[in-house]
Amino acid sequence: MTTETLDIKITKTTHSRLAETDFSNLVFGHTFADHMFVADYADGEWKNFQIVPYGEIGLSPAISSLHYGQAFFEGLKAYKHEDGTVSVFRPDKNAARFNKSAQRLCAPELPVDIFIQSIAALVDVDRDWIPTADNHSLYIRPFMFATDPYLGVVPSKTYKFIVLTCPVGPYFSKTLRVKVETEYTRAAEGGFGFAKAAGNYAGAMLPTRHAAEQGFDQMIWTDAKEHLYAEELGAANVMFVIDGKLITPSTRDTVLDGVTRDTVLAIARDWGMPVEERRVAISDIVEAAQNGTLTDAFGAGTAATIAPIGSISYQDQEYTLSDNREFSTKLFKHLNDIRYGRATDTHGWNYVV
Ligand code: PLP
Ligand code: COI
């Protein structure tokens, strides 16, 4: 990693959309800030670092990412504190995960300093787009895709790295009714479930639609072999509080190593709460729900934040959780306090722009 300042050419928009944007009615991913960051990879190096007005980009219909899915992304957020300070939450973790995705998808890595500086520069240019209301933030979407206009099934030699940003409010508006998914599989051992590969999300769309048709908001993905162990909750990690212990599936090939997950585990440990990262049998969850020791369950993710689970359905039985979720309520408040600069950031998670 180098610490040189990135040479970014900045072209600002002459028609800001800020004044006409309704910040009280934000739908996730619909509203984009005025600018985007764009860089190119060719001849073995990253170049052409630019911040330009958000807009369409011209591409060949033959680019390999459209055909073979060499595309992956990240998701992180910027927050505005009461005193006007702007911080991005743990961008170093996203940079590292981005490169894990790059390795798995045979794409070039992006130096961590380019990842972080591009985001910091973009957020700085569009800092007026960061909402200030409670639970609101600027969602940041860095992504890379293959651009060789060539139909051979080989890794592309050229790529684009782009960063978009969207002002967002809460992703979920209510506690979630979830089902344990035992038919479809999100990821298998040896596959690329641990990567934020675009294809993982395409494959989840049909199962998600079926779950919605059955009246569920989300599904708990289970292992590909036996469908007996919990893995994730939709596009978030899943966590349970049983008998006062915080329990979550350990990360492996099939589970995304979530930044929120890591953050929650660190906070729980700071609070002296026992934490278990292990295989989590669905039968253990059901038993805990039946005997009353399952006191909390939630999804943890950047978009999802801390998303409480209201009920879990498994084999035609619905297990409803009590509304008294002491841990996730306290956790969500503390996490927000850190991100909005109201609590001391003892771990150094806020990257100030
Ligand atoms: N799991 C999946 C499949 C996701 O898409 C996400 C969202 O990024 C997460 C987990 C949570 O990860 P993070 O907390 O880094 O956003
Ligand atoms: C995120 O939380 O950043 C995600 O990637 C979830 C998303 C696909 C909306």
Side-chain angles (χ1 to χ4, degrees):
M1 173 175 153
T2 67
T3 49
E4 283 165 34
T5 309
L6 204 58
D7 187 11
I8 305 174
K9 182 172 174 241
I10 301 179
T11 310
K12 289 204 181 169
T13 181
T14 49
H15 294 95
S16 173
R17 288 172 281 103
L18 190 56
E20 71 212 37
T21 301
D22 180 3
F23 278 75
S24 62
N25 230 336
L26 296 167
V27 178
F28 182 90
H30 274 253
T31 306
F32 295 92
D34 278 333
H35 300 91
M36 60 187 186
F37 177 91
V38 185
D40 297 306
Y41 183 86
D43 309 317
E45 60 172 350
W46 285 103
K47 50 186 142 193
N48 303 336
F49 305 114
Q50 294 188 63
I51 288 176
V52 293
Y54 169 82
E56 292 183 4
I57 48 173
L59 290 167
S60 157
I63 60 169
S64 45
S65 48
L66 291 179
H67 300 269
Y68 308 124
Q70 237 194 325
F72 52 98
F73 67 97
E74 269 304 323
L76 62 169
K77 282 176 172 173
Y79 300 84
K80 194 170 266 178
H81 306 192
E82 237 161 61
D83 66 359
T85 301
V86 167
S87 60
V88 178
F89 196 68
R90 307 190 72 181
D92 52 323
K93 290 284 285 179
N94 295 89
R97 191 172 64 191
F98 198 56
N99 282 335
K100 275 195 195 159
S101 299
Q103 282 164 14
R104 182 63 180 83
L105 294 173
C106 265
E109 291 189 26
L110 183 77
V112 170
D113 61 332
I114 297 183
F115 184 93
I116 295 178
Q117 287 188 47
S118 63
I119 288 171
L122 182 66
V123 168
D124 189 32
V125 166
D126 278 334
R127 63 202 297 137
D128 290 345
W129 281 86
I130 307 173
T132 48
D134 209 25
N135 295 331
H136 285 58
S137 56
L138 190 72
Y139 183 77
I140 304 165
R141 170 55 62 86
F143 60 109
M144 193 195 295
F145 59 96
T147 52
D148 277 4
Y150 172 56
L151 296 187
V153 188
V154 291
S156 178
K157 291 191 177 63
T158 62
Y159 296 82
K160 266 195 191 299
F161 170 64
I162 299 183
V163 186
L164 307 176
T165 65
C166 299
V168 296
Y171 193 73
F172 295 117
S173 53
K174 58 180 182 68
T175 58
L176 305 174
R177 181 166 186 245
V178 313
K179 68 175 269 201
V180 175
E181 180 59 65
T182 52
E183 183 186 348
Y184 294 106
T185 298
R186 191 191 84 91
E189 299 295 332
F192 51 87
F194 66 88
K196 270 184 89 73
N200 284 332
Y201 297 81
M205 284 180 188
L206 185 69
T208 306
R209 178 190 283 173
H210 285 177
E213 282 164 1
Q214 294 157 13
F216 298 106
D217 303 305
Q218 284 292 325
M219 74 275 272
I220 293 179
W221 296 108
T222 52
D223 67 286
K225 264 193 204 139
E226 301 174 289
H227 293 298
L228 292 178
Y229 296 92
E231 300 225 305
E232 303 209 48
L233 177 78
N237 291 108
V238 67
M239 301 197 158
F240 306 93
V241 177
I242 300 177
D243 248 342
K245 282 185 229 146
L246 180 62
I247 299 173
T248 192
S250 38
T251 53
R252 60 181 82 83
D253 276 11
T254 54
V255 175
L256 195 83
D257 186 0
V259 178
T260 318
R261 174 188 181 281
D262 183 77
T263 304
V264 171
L265 295 182
I267 291 173
R269 288 184 174 118
D270 286 351
W271 287 348
M273 183 171 187
V275 168
E276 290 182 5
E277 297 178 67
R278 58 166 167 89
R279 299 221 84 182
V280 181
I282 297 298
S283 56
D284 289 353
I285 307 298
V286 167
E287 192 187 315
Q290 282 169 333
N291 68 22
T293 52
L294 177 68
T295 54
D296 212 337
F298 55 93
T302 298
T305 63
I306 302 300
I309 294 175
S311 76
I312 301 174
S313 293
Y314 181 57
Q315 291 175 342
D316 297 327
Q317 282 288 319
E318 182 162 12
Y319 303 94
T320 303
L321 278 90
S322 143
D323 281 336
N324 179 23
R325 333 159 176 281
E326 211 183 307
F327 178 71
S328 58
T329 309
K330 183 173 153 203
L331 170 74
F332 190 38
K333 183 183 175 305
H334 186 61
L335 199 49
N336 274 347
D337 285 348
I338 296 173
R339 288 164 164 168
Y340 292 103
R342 297 187 292 253
T344 312
D345 175 21
T346 51
H347 292 272
W349 286 330
N350 291 335
Y351 180 94
V352 174
V353 173

